[in-house]
Amino acid sequence: MVNKKITAKRVALLGVFAAVAVALSAAENMIPPLPFMPPGAKLGLSNIITMFLSMNGMLIPSVFISLAKGIFSLLTRGVTAGAMSAAGGILSSLVIFLLAKNKKESLISLGITGAVSHNLAQLFVSFFIVGDTVFYYAPFLIVFAVISGSITSLIMKYTSTYAARILGGKDKL
Amino acid sequence: MKRPFFRPSDIILVAALLVFGGVFIFMPKNEGKTVEIMADGELKATLPLSIDTEYAVGEVVVVIEKGAARIEKSDCKDKICVGTGKLKNKGDTAVCLPNKVSVRVSGYRETDGVTW
């Protein structure tokens, strides 16, 4: 990453990915909460973008997109939501980036650990706001992360080749 | 080399997470006797569940009815606290992040929160 030039193509692609991530999270807000879901839990469809980038070694673009998503949440749903979104995105990007260095690590394990770390980061942010009562949610969030992480990685299985094609072969963002 | 979608060792990861979460979710629950209402990290009130009443913290209205407490109204956007529904077992919690208000049935074992 360090020696790479900032080219127009790279900036444009980053913008495209950020736009897709924001669009996905906006679309997701329109889905009504399902009865079995813990209060406040979401599927995290936009995490597909950050997962794709960080698992292919593009940690910094992934963190950038997490911040873009955080700013979007900040504008539409307030400071708390913004901080939680950014914290979740950045931690899960980091976790996926590190785990993906092992090329045998499966998509589903990356998706699930990403979702778990995302939810736990959010839990810690809310811990600083309301106190230890929020840890009551932890088991629900972990179980739900297994489900949402599996869904994310399943979508990834069928879409990552197209996303890689947009990037243009081995070119990294 | 293509990354596999699934490998057998993932079963251990999934099982461990589900068991860990499941143990806490399905732990035997006891009905609580009182609820603690916190705002801004401070205990505002401890109310008995046995007496039907209403309590307001700022714009958040807590209602106790038929042995269960719930957040009836809140001015926040997302209404997650209202959607949480009835609280009657020890440890049941509803949180309103925007208003920094939480309602919890007393008797929650603190160690669960510390050691997970």
Side-chain angles (χ1 to χ4, degrees):
Chain A
M1 278 313 294
V2 186
N3 295 322
K4 275 188 174 176
K5 279 187 200 156
I6 298 171
T7 62
K9 185 192 173 194
R10 203 163 281 142
V11 173
L13 282 174
L14 194 56
V16 169
F17 278 107
V20 174
V22 169
L24 280 175
S25 63
E28 192 180 53
N29 285 339
M30 295 169 190
I31 304 173
L34 299 168
F36 62 87
M37 277 166 42
K42 289 194 299 171
L43 220 42
L45 287 178
S46 61
N47 296 332
I48 293 169
I49 304 295
T50 50
M51 181 183 169
F52 171 77
L53 293 173
S54 54
M55 78 176 211
N56 289 309
M58 293 168 273
L59 177 63
I60 292 165
S62 176
V63 168
F64 175 85
I65 284 171
S66 302
L67 288 173
K69 271 174 59 188
I71 291 168
F72 176 72
S73 299
L74 174 83
L75 295 174
T76 55
R77 293 185 290 135
V79 182
T80 322
M84 284 172 69
S85 166
I90 292 169
L91 183 71
S92 66
S93 295
L94 194 63
V95 167
I96 292 173
F97 173 74
L98 292 175
L99 280 176
K101 285 185 180 280
N102 175 3
K103 295 288 175 209
K104 286 180 187 154
E105 201 67 57
S106 66
L107 272 182
I108 198 161
S109 70
L110 292 176
I112 291 173
T113 45
V116 170
S117 54
H118 187 278
N119 286 353
L120 292 186
Q122 296 197 318
L123 199 67
F124 271 103
V125 172
S126 51
F127 165 70
F128 286 113
I129 299 167
V130 269
D132 68 344
T133 47
V134 295
F135 287 121
Y136 175 70
Y137 281 146
F140 294 95
L141 288 177
I142 289 172
V143 170
F144 188 71
V146 172
I147 301 166
S148 63
S150 305
I151 294 171
T152 310
S153 48
L154 194 65
I155 298 172
M156 178 71 71
K157 179 176 157 52
Y158 294 104
T159 55
S160 63
T161 48
Y162 301 103
R165 210 176 289 167
I166 294 171
L167 280 182
K170 287 185 173 175
D171 208 13
K172 280 186 179 177
L173 198 58
Chain B
M1 187 177 60
K2 207 167 181 300
R3 190 185 291 284
F5 174 68
F6 174 85
R7 54 176 185 166
S9 61
D10 293 341
I11 295 171
I12 301 170
L13 174 75
V14 172
L17 290 171
L18 290 182
V19 167
F20 179 81
V23 162
F24 285 101
I25 292 172
F26 295 108
M27 234 172 5
K29 286 178 179 168
N30 313 309
E31 288 191 15
K33 290 194 171 66
T34 57
V35 276
E36 293 162 10
I37 298 167
M38 313 264 288
D40 255 329
E42 280 173 43
L43 185 63
K44 289 286 177 201
T46 305
L47 304 171
L49 279 171
S50 50
I51 302 164
D52 290 1
T53 168
E54 238 185 75
Y55 185 89
V57 201
E59 296 299 316
V60 180
V61 179
V62 181
V63 168
I64 299 175
E65 204 177 57
K66 294 175 189 159
R70 67 175 191 277
I71 295 184
E72 172 76 15
K73 264 196 310 202
S74 165
D75 65 339
C76 60
K77 262 189 193 166
D78 41 24
K79 303 276 188 268
I80 289 168
C81 50
V82 178
T84 307
K86 288 178 183 170
L87 317 167
K88 64 179 189 180
N89 294 315
K90 285 179 183 174
D92 282 359
T93 309
V95 178
C96 180
L97 283 181
N99 287 310
K100 300 184 183 178
V101 169
S102 77
V103 180
R104 174 168 72 170
V105 180
S106 323
Y108 176 72
R109 286 173 300 263
E110 291 295 328
T111 47
D112 290 350
V114 177
T115 56
W116 65 270

